[in-house]
Amino acid sequence: MIAKSWQVLEYPKILTQLAEHTSFSLGHELALRLRPSSREKVVRRRQQETSEARHLLDIKPTLSLGGVTNLRPLLKKARLEATLTPGELSDVRATLLSARSLRRSIAPLERQFPLLSARAEEIEGYSELPQEISRAINDRAEVVDSASPALAQTRQEVKETHEVLLDRLERIVSSPANSHFLQEKLITERHGRYVIPLKADFKGRIPGVVHDQSSSGATLFIEPLATLELNNRWRQLQIDGEREVERVLKQLTARVAEEEEAIARTLRALAALDLAFAKARYSIRIEGVEPELVPFRATNKKREESKRGFQHPGSTLRLIQARHPLLPPSKVVPIDVNISDDFFILVITGPNTGGKTVALKTVGLLALMAQAGLHIPASESSALSIFRGVYADIGEEQSIEQSLSTFSSHMTRIVDILSRAYRKSLVLLDELGAGTDPVEGSALARAILFHLHRRQITTLVATHYSDLKVHAHATPGVKNASVEFDVETLAPTFKLSIGLPGRSNALAIAARLGLAKKIVSRAAKLLTPEDLEVESLLTEIKGARDQAVTAQLATEDARAEAEELRRALQEHLTKVEQERREILNQARQQARMELAEVRKELRTVSKALKPETRPQRLVGAREQLKELEEAVKAPEPPIRLFPVDRGKLRVGQPVWVEDLRQRGEIIGFLDGEEVEISVGKFRVKARLDDLELVEEEPQVQGDDAYVAVTPPAPPPMTLQLRGWRAEEAIIELDKYLDKAYLAHLPEVRIVHGKGTGTLRRLVREELQRDPLVASYRPGEAEEGGDGVTIAELVE
């Protein structure tokens, strides 16, 4: 039954198109044998493999399986010890080299393409067989002299013997003594031996063996006795060479047989990769996308039945802008099919040739394609559940052999479908109840729908029966849909409208086609008042629906335009704020640089002052520097604003409150669309729509960098100079005193050691000159004695 449904939905045609994109016969076979799976893990793996292959082809469009051939017949031949020809061995070499190249291209890309990389790892990449074949056989599939030392020697002897043989024959035919006996001075070949043309009248004048004669009998082709031995040797050497070639080919064939398992594994990996790339190329051809795969939802039967009046199977079927892949893209009209939580059975009505059957086939075929790992021609927002079975009864069918009418044929298949389908199945029924008495057919169709509804089976039905429209409208979990028809042009639009039952339009079509007005009027009068009321109501509903759709589209356009304007303004404000902060940062950094220069100059001037006047004169300058440092605050980091992602909000999330023009932090979530925010010492409530996420940019290098000055770590109280060279020690002492002064250390301990006393003297002289030192003294015994100097810094 499943295979029959696949035939009805034209799934084999999809496989035929897929197979056209394969590169060699094993991949072609896999494509034709590709079957949908109902196992979620398998389907997800197949879809991921197709997506990886498409992405890889985008990056490496020239990647292919060029040079790969099906080696299975050759492996069988080698296993049976039948010698492979040079051409067959060349195919083995080309396939293994192409496989190795493919492995090197894909295997390292494990992070980007894990499934394809794993496939490529299955390819044998370390065999010496291709090199062994290349040493014996060239690119023209010829066994070369270097295939073996014996073959090289034999062929050299063949060449030398051949030259001697031809030289001797040349002397015979060129001899003046023999010119009268020969038809012409010619050396030719008969039966693999060199001969000369002798006139039949002079038979025996040149001793030799006759190998042939001309058709007229006037010429005998003889092998002179003088060259008989050379001819024999030349021929024997040729035979020896052929035997050596056969030995080389047998040896290479044995090597192929030894590596049969590895080669077979490589062929399987190549076939799988070929299929993956074929699926990717087919996806490109049909402009396909990877659909979202949604597991069947677990449902609470009692709660659902009490809340909605029916039990939903938990399936997902959302096909947006779906196109039938076998129809020309320029002609097919995309459809939207969305089985929501409100229903799981869709009853499609409308005129003939309006697109009902195409809609059913599109849904069924795309479900099969998705579960086979193929991308589907639809929007990226499309989603499907993985159905355990897709069953379809579509199209008219009669069986003469079984004496079945169209109705009997349909009913036989429907009986089989109902016996197999269950909650996780998808059922597609075309013209349900047709082919028999309309009253009984309608009743039967409603009963079948009731059965499918009770068993919670996701179902799409196409019908002409008006009773089914009423049934769909009155039954929870069942929804009407229609294919639209343009009465003015007498052409279907092929658009599927869910929620609105279809109209027959029979009278309007008949009138447009020229049927007499009297007949049409008479037919209208024969309709029951209920029928007329239904048609009139459907017309009004359609008009109201069209107006609502138009208004909704206009509202959405206006909302999108307003949102775009708001986003643009917000980006502009953010940019202005960022530029303001950058200008402030630059100004502050400039001020700090200027302060550093002032401090440097102050030190220079201080060194020129007398020691007794230094502290008093430095106090005022130092106080001014402090005031400037306080004025130049650390730069503010720029703030970047982002739209609120409701799914990622958390307590502690920094946000920007536009109404307050302040930054805050989320401290709690309230009911609905509100949150509680801490702004400074205050708590405020705000709607999510009035907030934007804040992200502080990290410090970066380059043109967009900002400077954040952090205070340096305070220096230690002790400076170790023991063991330093005098020049280096004085420089280090000068730097240390600057840091100690900036860190507001009251005094410092300088360890210079005793030694010869040179370093101690230089240190104390420098302390005497330095304007930052108020006084100094030798260390006490417990402080290190004369090896230490204690310096008190100015305030």
Side-chain angles (χ1 to χ4, degrees):
M1 186 62 222
I2 291 179
K4 183 64 178 177
S5 295
W6 292 352
Q7 291 284 346
V8 166
L9 293 171
E10 300 177 292
Y11 178 71
K13 292 183 180 180
I14 296 294
L15 298 184
T16 301
Q17 290 186 349
L18 174 65
E20 293 173 359
H21 295 277
T22 57
S23 299
F24 78 122
S25 60
L26 290 182
H28 191 274
E29 292 174 9
L30 282 184
L32 293 179
R33 295 204 310 266
L34 183 63
R35 297 293 180 263
S37 173
S38 58
R39 295 165 57 192
E40 181 180 348
K41 190 174 181 180
V42 173
V43 176
R44 291 188 183 279
R45 183 182 180 87
R46 288 178 175 181
Q47 285 289 345
Q48 181 184 345
E49 189 177 64
T50 304
S51 297
E52 285 185 15
R54 180 162 179 176
H55 185 200
L56 182 57
L57 288 181
D58 290 339
I59 298 173
K60 297 184 176 183
T62 59
L63 195 66
S64 70
L65 278 76
V68 173
T69 55
N70 181 8
L71 301 181
R72 286 179 178 172
L74 304 187
L75 295 179
K76 181 179 180 180
K77 186 176 177 181
R79 186 171 64 252
L80 297 175
E81 299 183 357
T83 305
L84 299 179
T85 66
E88 291 171 337
L89 288 167
S90 294
D91 289 341
V92 173
R93 174 183 58 194
T95 299
L96 294 182
L97 290 177
S98 294
R100 187 175 299 175
S101 174
L102 199 64
R103 175 192 169 104
R104 284 197 299 266
S105 298
I106 302 176
L109 306 176
E110 180 180 1
R111 180 170 297 180
Q112 290 176 275
F113 311 104
L115 296 183
L116 295 182
S117 176
R119 287 287 190 190
E121 289 287 356
E122 298 173 8
I123 296 174
E124 175 58 51
Y126 307 102
S127 172
E128 295 296 326
L129 182 57
Q131 288 74 15
E132 294 177 25
I133 295 175
S134 295
R135 284 194 291 269
I137 299 172
N138 60 22
D139 293 337
R140 297 186 297 276
E142 299 169 339
V143 180
V144 297
D145 296 351
S146 58
S148 73
L151 182 60
Q153 181 179 353
T154 300
R155 286 185 172 176
Q156 181 62 31
E157 291 180 4
V158 167
K159 181 179 178 182
E160 293 172 354
T161 304
H162 181 258
E163 291 175 353
V164 172
L165 175 60
L166 289 181
D167 182 65
R168 187 167 296 181
L169 287 170
E170 186 65 32
R171 290 202 299 271
I172 292 175
V173 298
S174 301
S175 172
N178 296 329
S179 60
H180 183 64
F181 308 135
L182 299 174
Q183 286 284 14
E184 53 182 319
K185 294 180 179 181
L186 176 70
I187 300 172
T188 187
E189 191 176 348
R190 289 293 186 275
H191 310 302
R193 302 181 73 87
Y194 283 109
V195 296
I196 58 177
L198 179 68
K199 295 177 181 179
D201 296 340
F202 297 104
K203 182 180 180 181
R205 294 299 183 92
I206 300 177
V209 178
V210 178
H211 286 281
D212 201 2
Q213 67 178 2
S214 65
S215 57
S216 64
T219 303
L220 301 176
F221 295 95
I222 69 167
E223 179 184 355
L225 292 179
T227 62
L228 184 62
E229 185 60 31
L230 278 173
N231 245 331
N232 287 341
R233 176 169 172 71
W234 177 64
R235 183 60 188 149
Q236 184 59 47
L237 288 172
Q238 284 182 313
I239 294 172
D240 292 344
E242 291 170 359
R243 288 176 179 170
E244 181 61 19
V245 167
E246 182 69 15
R247 188 193 69 79
V248 169
L249 294 179
K250 280 184 176 294
Q251 187 178 30
L252 291 175
T253 300
R255 287 285 294 114
V256 172
E258 288 175 9
E259 299 200 17
E260 178 186 4
E261 184 177 345
I263 295 174
R265 186 169 59 251
T266 294
L267 289 176
R268 288 193 296 270
L270 289 173
L273 288 172
D274 191 25
L275 176 60
F277 290 133
K279 291 191 295 181
R281 295 188 187 97
Y282 187 59
S283 173
I284 295 171
R285 170 181 166 181
I286 65 174
E287 300 179 3
V289 299
E290 178 182 353
E292 179 186 358
L293 300 174
V294 183
F296 273 77
R297 302 183 303 278
T299 58
N300 187 315
K301 294 183 178 180
K302 292 183 178 179
R303 183 184 301 173
E304 282 210 349
E305 193 162 6
S306 61
K307 182 178 179 180
R308 300 178 181 173
F310 70 95
Q311 297 174 10
H312 198 286
S315 58
T316 297
L317 183 61
R318 184 174 67 248
L319 298 175
I320 309 301
Q321 293 293 292
R323 307 178 305 277
H324 195 293
L326 298 177
L327 297 178
S330 59
K331 296 181 179 180
V332 65
V333 177
I335 62 171
D336 294 344
V337 179
N338 188 4
I339 301 294
S340 68
D341 292 340
D342 297 332
F343 65 97
F344 61 93
I345 295 179
L346 195 63
V347 177
I348 306 174
T349 52
N352 287 328
T353 71
K356 299 189 301 296
T357 302
V358 171
L360 293 182
K361 285 188 174 182
T362 300
V363 172
L365 190 53
L366 267 55
L368 293 177
M369 290 174 63
Q371 294 182 210
L374 298 173
H375 286 178
I376 62 173
S379 166
E380 292 182 354
S381 58
S382 299
L384 291 160
S385 290
I386 299 173
F387 296 99
R388 294 296 178 88
V390 178
Y391 303 98
D393 175 43
I394 298 174
E396 294 187 1
E397 202 173 277
Q398 290 184 340
S399 175
I400 298 176
E401 294 178 358
Q402 298 181 18
S403 301
L404 295 176
S405 65
T406 301
F407 173 77
S408 300
S409 177
H410 278 294
M411 196 50 56
T412 300
R413 289 170 58 182
I414 290 173
V415 168
D416 200 356
I417 289 173
L418 295 180
S419 68
R420 296 172 182 268
Y422 76 115
R423 186 176 70 89
K424 292 188 176 182
S425 302
L426 173 63
V427 173
L428 308 165
L429 303 175
D430 190 24
E431 298 298 347
L432 181 61
T436 187
D437 178 74
V439 176
E440 293 184 355
S442 175
L444 194 57
R446 280 179 287 153
I448 292 173
L449 275 185
F450 176 80
H451 177 78
L452 293 168
H453 182 274
R454 184 173 56 84
R455 295 184 60 190
Q456 302 171 253
I457 299 174
T458 306
T459 305
L460 276 74
V461 171
T463 182
H464 281 291
Y465 290 132
S466 296
D467 289 350
L468 263 65
K469 303 177 189 177
V470 177
H471 175 80
H473 180 72
T475 306
V478 185
K479 182 79 78 172
N480 273 305
S482 63
V483 286
E484 299 178 4
F485 189 86
D486 191 334
V487 180
E488 296 299 322
T489 62
L490 297 181
T493 64
F494 299 105
K495 293 181 179 179
L496 183 67
S497 297
I498 295 180
L500 186 68
R503 302 165 57 201
S504 66
N505 295 302
L507 299 183
I509 293 173
R512 290 285 297 172
L513 291 175
L515 188 64
K517 291 183 179 180
K518 292 182 178 180
I519 300 176
V520 175
S521 299
R522 177 63 179 168
K525 292 178 181 178
L526 293 175
L527 291 173
T528 65
E530 291 80 6
D531 292 334
L532 291 173
E533 185 178 355
V534 168
E535 288 298 317
S536 176
L537 183 60
L538 287 177
T539 303
E540 292 179 9
I541 292 174
K542 186 178 185 307
R545 179 190 175 94
D546 291 342
Q547 291 178 2
V549 169
T550 302
Q552 182 180 1
L553 291 176
T555 303
E556 290 177 355
D557 290 342
R559 183 184 295 118
E561 185 177 351
E563 179 63 24
E564 184 63 30
L565 180 60
R566 189 197 67 81
R567 188 181 296 109
L569 288 174
Q570 186 59 56
E571 289 177 358
H572 178 70
L573 289 174
T574 303
K575 184 178 179 182
V576 169
E577 176 66 16
Q578 218 166 326
E579 290 175 353
R580 183 187 71 83
R581 291 174 180 273
E582 288 175 359
I583 292 171
L584 287 176
N585 289 342
Q586 291 172 4
R588 287 166 177 159
Q589 178 62 16
Q590 181 66 30
R592 286 185 173 276
M593 293 173 61
E594 291 175 359
L595 280 175
E597 289 295 326
V598 171
R599 187 180 291 109
K600 184 177 180 182
E601 292 178 7
L602 181 61
R603 287 192 55 211
T604 303
V605 172
S606 298
K607 286 182 179 181
L609 297 176
K610 294 180 179 181
E612 60 272 14
T613 61
R614 287 175 194 162
Q616 293 78 9
R617 296 190 179 185
L618 287 175
V619 170
R622 188 170 178 270
E623 291 299 327
Q624 292 179 9
L625 281 177
K626 282 185 177 180
E627 293 176 3
L628 289 174
E629 286 175 349
E630 288 295 326
V632 183
K633 297 180 180 178
E636 303 176 34
I639 295 179
R640 296 178 61 193
L641 303 178
F642 300 92
V644 171
D645 185 347
R646 289 168 169 78
K648 296 182 179 179
L649 286 179
R650 55 179 173 77
V651 173
Q653 178 80 48
V655 293
W656 178 262
V657 186
E658 182 61 26
D659 292 342
L660 303 177
R661 298 295 296 168
Q662 291 289 331
R663 174 176 170 163
E665 187 176 285
I666 295 176
I667 58 175
F669 293 90
L670 305 176
D671 294 337
E673 296 289 311
E674 288 188 335
V675 292
E676 189 174 7
I677 301 171
S678 171
V679 180
K681 297 181 179 179
F682 300 96
R683 291 188 175 191
V684 297
K685 296 179 181 178
R687 291 180 55 81
L688 291 177
D689 294 338
D690 298 330
L691 303 178
E692 289 183 281
L693 297 183
V694 173
E695 178 182 278
E696 294 187 6
E697 294 183 344
Q699 299 183 22
V700 295
Q701 301 296 325
D703 296 338
D704 296 330
Y706 63 87
V707 180
V709 179
T710 56
M717 295 287 292
T718 301
L719 174 64
Q720 288 283 353
L721 294 178
R722 188 164 42 196
W724 286 54
R725 294 177 57 188
E727 296 83 357
E728 296 175 350
I730 297 305
I731 294 173
E732 183 65 21
L733 174 60
D734 191 49
K735 293 179 181 178
Y736 174 73
L737 290 174
D738 287 347
K739 294 178 181 177
Y741 172 74
L742 292 175
H744 306 294
L745 297 183
E747 65 177 23
V748 294
R749 179 171 176 266
I750 302 163
V751 181
H752 42 66
K754 298 178 181 179
T756 61
T758 302
L759 182 58
R760 176 182 59 204
R761 178 176 54 82
L762 292 174
V763 166
R764 291 177 179 176
E765 288 177 357
E766 179 64 22
L767 293 175
Q768 178 70 23
R769 290 191 298 269
D770 198 298
L772 302 179
V773 179
S775 64
Y776 66 88
R777 62 177 174 80
E780 301 293 341
E782 64 273 9
E783 292 174 331
D786 211 25
V788 172
T789 298
I790 306 299
E792 182 180 352
L793 303 182
V794 297
E795 293 183 358

mmCIF file of all heavy atoms in Angstrom, residues 480-503:
data_model
loop_
_atom_site.group_PDB
_atom_site.id
_atom_site.type_symbol
_atom_site.label_atom_id
_atom_site.label_comp_id
_atom_site.label_asym_id
_atom_site.label_seq_id
_atom_site.Cartn_x
_atom_site.Cartn_y
_atom_site.Cartn_z
ATOM 1 N N ASN A 480 -12.553 23.799 6.636
ATOM 2 C CA ASN A 480 -12.783 23.934 5.197
ATOM 3 C C ASN A 480 -11.609 24.639 4.532
ATOM 4 O O ASN A 480 -10.912 25.456 5.145
ATOM 5 C CB ASN A 480 -14.059 24.742 4.934
ATOM 6 C CG ASN A 480 -15.301 23.873 4.919
ATOM 7 O OD1 ASN A 480 -15.377 22.903 4.174
ATOM 8 N ND2 ASN A 480 -16.282 24.207 5.768
ATOM 9 N N ALA A 481 -11.406 24.334 3.256
ATOM 10 C CA ALA A 481 -10.433 25.041 2.418
ATOM 11 C C ALA A 481 -10.957 25.011 0.995
ATOM 12 O O ALA A 481 -11.813 24.180 0.644
ATOM 13 C CB ALA A 481 -9.053 24.408 2.514
ATOM 14 N N SER A 482 -10.459 25.896 0.174
ATOM 15 C CA SER A 482 -10.951 25.950 -1.209
ATOM 16 C C SER A 482 -9.847 26.389 -2.148
ATOM 17 O O SER A 482 -8.905 27.078 -1.748
ATOM 18 C CB SER A 482 -12.129 26.924 -1.311
ATOM 19 O OG SER A 482 -11.708 28.236 -0.977
ATOM 20 N N VAL A 483 -9.970 25.957 -3.407
ATOM 21 C CA VAL A 483 -9.119 26.469 -4.473
ATOM 22 C C VAL A 483 -9.945 27.496 -5.231
ATOM 23 O O VAL A 483 -11.101 27.249 -5.585
ATOM 24 C CB VAL A 483 -8.633 25.340 -5.401
ATOM 25 C CG1 VAL A 483 -7.564 24.520 -4.721
ATOM 26 C CG2 VAL A 483 -9.767 24.429 -5.831
ATOM 27 N N GLU A 484 -9.385 28.644 -5.477
ATOM 28 C CA GLU A 484 -10.138 29.750 -6.043
ATOM 29 C C GLU A 484 -10.243 29.635 -7.558
ATOM 30 O O GLU A 484 -9.378 29.048 -8.216
ATOM 31 C CB GLU A 484 -9.469 31.072 -5.638
ATOM 32 C CG GLU A 484 -9.437 31.280 -4.129
ATOM 33 C CD GLU A 484 -8.734 32.567 -3.745
ATOM 34 O OE1 GLU A 484 -8.346 33.326 -4.655
ATOM 35 O OE2 GLU A 484 -8.563 32.819 -2.544
ATOM 36 N N PHE A 485 -11.313 30.249 -8.093
ATOM 37 C CA PHE A 485 -11.598 30.183 -9.529
ATOM 38 C C PHE A 485 -12.039 31.573 -9.989
ATOM 39 O O PHE A 485 -12.856 32.225 -9.335
ATOM 40 C CB PHE A 485 -12.711 29.155 -9.802
ATOM 41 C CG PHE A 485 -12.935 28.865 -11.257
ATOM 42 C CD1 PHE A 485 -12.184 27.903 -11.895
ATOM 43 C CD2 PHE A 485 -13.891 29.563 -11.991
ATOM 44 C CE1 PHE A 485 -12.393 27.608 -13.244
ATOM 45 C CE2 PHE A 485 -14.095 29.291 -13.323
ATOM 46 C CZ PHE A 485 -13.352 28.315 -13.955
ATOM 47 N N ASP A 486 -11.454 32.022 -11.107
ATOM 48 C CA ASP A 486 -11.796 33.331 -11.660
ATOM 49 C C ASP A 486 -12.915 33.152 -12.679
ATOM 50 O O ASP A 486 -12.701 32.614 -13.773
ATOM 51 C CB ASP A 486 -10.570 33.964 -12.325
ATOM 52 C CG ASP A 486 -10.804 35.430 -12.687
ATOM 53 O OD1 ASP A 486 -11.973 35.808 -12.882
ATOM 54 O OD2 ASP A 486 -9.815 36.173 -12.793
ATOM 55 N N VAL A 487 -14.111 33.573 -12.302
ATOM 56 C CA VAL A 487 -15.269 33.395 -13.181
ATOM 57 C C VAL A 487 -15.128 34.222 -14.454
ATOM 58 O O VAL A 487 -15.596 33.831 -15.525
ATOM 59 C CB VAL A 487 -16.559 33.767 -12.427
ATOM 60 C CG1 VAL A 487 -17.773 33.575 -13.325
ATOM 61 C CG2 VAL A 487 -16.707 32.914 -11.174
ATOM 62 N N GLU A 488 -14.479 35.358 -14.383
ATOM 63 C CA GLU A 488 -14.350 36.229 -15.547
ATOM 64 C C GLU A 488 -13.485 35.593 -16.625
ATOM 65 O O GLU A 488 -13.789 35.651 -17.815
ATOM 66 C CB GLU A 488 -13.756 37.580 -15.111
ATOM 67 C CG GLU A 488 -14.636 38.364 -14.152
ATOM 68 C CD GLU A 488 -15.987 38.701 -14.779
ATOM 69 O OE1 GLU A 488 -16.020 38.996 -15.989
ATOM 70 O OE2 GLU A 488 -17.006 38.657 -14.059
ATOM 71 N N THR A 489 -12.386 34.998 -16.207
ATOM 72 C CA THR A 489 -11.461 34.400 -17.192
ATOM 73 C C THR A 489 -11.711 32.911 -17.392
ATOM 74 O O THR A 489 -11.071 32.290 -18.238
ATOM 75 C CB THR A 489 -10.011 34.602 -16.736
ATOM 76 O OG1 THR A 489 -9.820 33.931 -15.480
ATOM 77 C CG2 THR A 489 -9.682 36.072 -16.574
ATOM 78 N N LEU A 490 -12.625 32.342 -16.605
ATOM 79 C CA LEU A 490 -12.909 30.898 -16.646
ATOM 80 C C LEU A 490 -11.639 30.080 -16.401
ATOM 81 O O LEU A 490 -11.430 29.024 -16.993
ATOM 82 C CB LEU A 490 -13.527 30.506 -18.008
ATOM 83 C CG LEU A 490 -14.875 31.140 -18.334
ATOM 84 C CD1 LEU A 490 -15.371 30.635 -19.681
ATOM 85 C CD2 LEU A 490 -15.886 30.829 -17.250
ATOM 86 N N ALA A 491 -10.786 30.613 -15.532
ATOM 87 C CA ALA A 491 -9.525 29.919 -15.255
ATOM 88 C C ALA A 491 -9.320 29.826 -13.753
ATOM 89 O O ALA A 491 -9.642 30.760 -13.008
ATOM 90 C CB ALA A 491 -8.356 30.672 -15.895
ATOM 91 N N PRO A 492 -8.796 28.689 -13.291
ATOM 92 C CA PRO A 492 -8.505 28.565 -11.857
ATOM 93 C C PRO A 492 -7.280 29.403 -11.486
ATOM 94 O O PRO A 492 -6.376 29.594 -12.301
ATOM 95 C CB PRO A 492 -8.223 27.073 -11.681
ATOM 96 C CG PRO A 492 -7.735 26.615 -13.023
ATOM 97 C CD PRO A 492 -8.465 27.454 -14.035
ATOM 98 N N THR A 493 -7.250 29.899 -10.261
ATOM 99 C CA THR A 493 -6.075 30.646 -9.789
ATOM 100 C C THR A 493 -5.080 29.731 -9.093
ATOM 101 O O THR A 493 -3.939 30.128 -8.867
ATOM 102 C CB THR A 493 -6.496 31.740 -8.801
ATOM 103 O OG1 THR A 493 -7.053 31.120 -7.638
ATOM 104 C CG2 THR A 493 -7.521 32.670 -9.429
ATOM 105 N N PHE A 494 -5.514 28.518 -8.745
ATOM 106 C CA PHE A 494 -4.687 27.515 -8.069
ATOM 107 C C PHE A 494 -4.275 27.954 -6.661
ATOM 108 O O PHE A 494 -3.423 27.335 -6.049
ATOM 109 C CB PHE A 494 -3.439 27.173 -8.890
ATOM 110 C CG PHE A 494 -3.749 26.593 -10.241
ATOM 111 C CD1 PHE A 494 -3.593 27.358 -11.378
ATOM 112 C CD2 PHE A 494 -4.211 25.292 -10.366
ATOM 113 C CE1 PHE A 494 -3.868 26.831 -12.626
ATOM 114 C CE2 PHE A 494 -4.491 24.753 -11.613
ATOM 115 C CZ PHE A 494 -4.332 25.530 -12.743
ATOM 116 N N LYS A 495 -4.869 29.015 -6.141
ATOM 117 C CA LYS A 495 -4.562 29.462 -4.785
ATOM 118 C C LYS A 495 -5.434 28.702 -3.784
ATOM 119 O O LYS A 495 -6.626 28.539 -3.997
ATOM 120 C CB LYS A 495 -4.791 30.963 -4.647
ATOM 121 C CG LYS A 495 -3.811 31.810 -5.458
ATOM 122 C CD LYS A 495 -4.078 33.294 -5.253
ATOM 123 C CE LYS A 495 -3.090 34.130 -6.041
ATOM 124 N NZ LYS A 495 -3.352 35.577 -5.884
ATOM 125 N N LEU A 496 -4.803 28.277 -2.709
ATOM 126 C CA LEU A 496 -5.517 27.528 -1.672
ATOM 127 C C LEU A 496 -5.843 28.466 -0.513
ATOM 128 O O LEU A 496 -4.953 29.098 0.054
ATOM 129 C CB LEU A 496 -4.659 26.357 -1.181
ATOM 130 C CG LEU A 496 -5.295 25.440 -0.139
ATOM 131 C CD1 LEU A 496 -6.459 24.685 -0.744
ATOM 132 C CD2 LEU A 496 -4.259 24.467 0.413
ATOM 133 N N SER A 497 -7.126 28.558 -0.185
ATOM 134 C CA SER A 497 -7.573 29.410 0.919
ATOM 135 C C SER A 497 -8.123 28.529 2.023
ATOM 136 O O SER A 497 -9.129 27.832 1.839
ATOM 137 C CB SER A 497 -8.664 30.387 0.449
ATOM 138 O OG SER A 497 -8.150 31.269 -0.530
ATOM 139 N N ILE A 498 -7.481 28.555 3.177
ATOM 140 C CA ILE A 498 -7.916 27.749 4.314
ATOM 141 C C ILE A 498 -8.904 28.547 5.151
ATOM 142 O O ILE A 498 -8.695 29.729 5.431
ATOM 143 C CB ILE A 498 -6.708 27.325 5.159
ATOM 144 C CG1 ILE A 498 -5.802 26.399 4.344
ATOM 145 C CG2 ILE A 498 -7.150 26.623 6.444
ATOM 146 C CD1 ILE A 498 -4.575 25.928 5.071
ATOM 147 N N GLY A 499 -9.995 27.890 5.524
ATOM 148 C CA GLY A 499 -11.026 28.525 6.324
ATOM 149 C C GLY A 499 -12.252 28.913 5.526
ATOM 150 O O GLY A 499 -13.269 29.314 6.102
ATOM 151 N N LEU A 500 -12.188 28.777 4.201
ATOM 152 C CA LEU A 500 -13.308 29.173 3.351
ATOM 153 C C LEU A 500 -13.659 28.030 2.409
ATOM 154 O O LEU A 500 -12.810 27.582 1.639
ATOM 155 C CB LEU A 500 -12.928 30.416 2.528
ATOM 156 C CG LEU A 500 -14.039 31.040 1.682
ATOM 157 C CD1 LEU A 500 -15.107 31.657 2.598
ATOM 158 C CD2 LEU A 500 -13.459 32.095 0.757
ATOM 159 N N PRO A 501 -14.888 27.501 2.443
ATOM 160 C CA PRO A 501 -15.266 26.418 1.529
ATOM 161 C C PRO A 501 -15.370 26.927 0.094
ATOM 162 O O PRO A 501 -15.634 28.102 -0.156
ATOM 163 C CB PRO A 501 -16.630 25.961 2.067
ATOM 164 C CG PRO A 501 -17.163 27.150 2.786
ATOM 165 C CD PRO A 501 -15.988 27.864 3.366
ATOM 166 N N GLY A 502 -15.172 26.025 -0.837
ATOM 167 C CA GLY A 502 -15.203 26.401 -2.242
ATOM 168 C C GLY A 502 -16.610 26.442 -2.815
ATOM 169 O O GLY A 502 -17.543 25.810 -2.307
ATOM 170 N N ARG A 503 -16.772 27.211 -3.868
ATOM 171 C CA ARG A 503 -18.051 27.301 -4.578
ATOM 172 C C ARG A 503 -17.927 26.513 -5.874
ATOM 173 O O ARG A 503 -16.865 26.438 -6.480
ATOM 174 C CB ARG A 503 -18.370 28.753 -4.883
ATOM 175 C CG ARG A 503 -18.438 29.634 -3.640
ATOM 176 C CD ARG A 503 -18.384 31.102 -4.013
ATOM 177 N NE ARG A 503 -19.465 31.452 -4.930
ATOM 178 C CZ ARG A 503 -19.444 32.526 -5.719
ATOM 179 N NH1 ARG A 503 -18.398 33.317 -5.726
ATOM 180 N NH2 ARG A 503 -20.469 32.782 -6.517
#
